[in-house]
Amino acid sequence: EPPSVADPQVLNFLATHTDINVQGGGERLADALRQVLAPAEDTLQFPQFLELLRENAVADSTAVSKFLETCRGHDSVAKTECAAHALHVAQKMVSITFEKEKW
């Protein structure tokens, strides 16, 4: 059975592993949940859970600043350099070491 959106483990996971700000009453988290749930729905299905993670993985400001840092004034970045920086950002944000070959 899918977990309730009020389940503390679900909320803690989303707060820890997404860029959703939960400070100040968790209004951003409530807004993010409303975007993927039907009005009367109170359980989080796996596809909705994945959508929340994808849509809130990294703040736009983080992505833009890392791109600007990587491109060093150019309009584009080589694919290999982009992948290397994406790996670095992902590892830093979720405190996990990904295998470079599988990345």
Side-chain angles (χ1 to χ4, degrees):
E1 180 173 314
S4 166
V5 294
D7 183 322
Q9 288 181 322
V10 171
L11 297 174
N12 185 45
F13 184 89
L14 292 171
T16 304
H17 298 288
T18 66
D19 194 53
I20 301 171
N21 183 357
V22 294
Q23 304 302 318
E27 291 174 20
R28 282 206 54 227
L29 181 55
D31 289 343
L33 287 167
R34 276 193 290 275
Q35 289 179 359
V36 297
L37 298 173
E41 204 169 11
D42 63 351
T43 58
L44 190 60
Q45 301 292 328
F46 189 65
Q48 297 161 325
F49 177 73
L50 289 179
E51 184 178 343
L52 269 173
L53 293 178
R54 285 183 189 117
E55 293 298 319
N56 298 285
V58 179
D60 289 345
S61 59
T62 301
V64 170
S65 69
K66 290 299 177 185
F67 174 79
L68 292 173
E69 179 182 308
T70 304
C71 73
R72 295 182 207 112
H74 299 284
D75 291 339
S76 63
V77 178
K79 182 179 176 182
T80 54
E81 192 171 349
C82 183
H85 281 276
L87 172 61
H88 173 73
V89 170
Q91 287 177 334
K92 188 175 177 182
M93 291 191 70
V94 295
S95 302
I96 294 175
T97 302
F98 296 104
E99 293 180 38
K100 198 172 188 175
E101 296 77 32
K102 292 185 178 181
W103 181 257

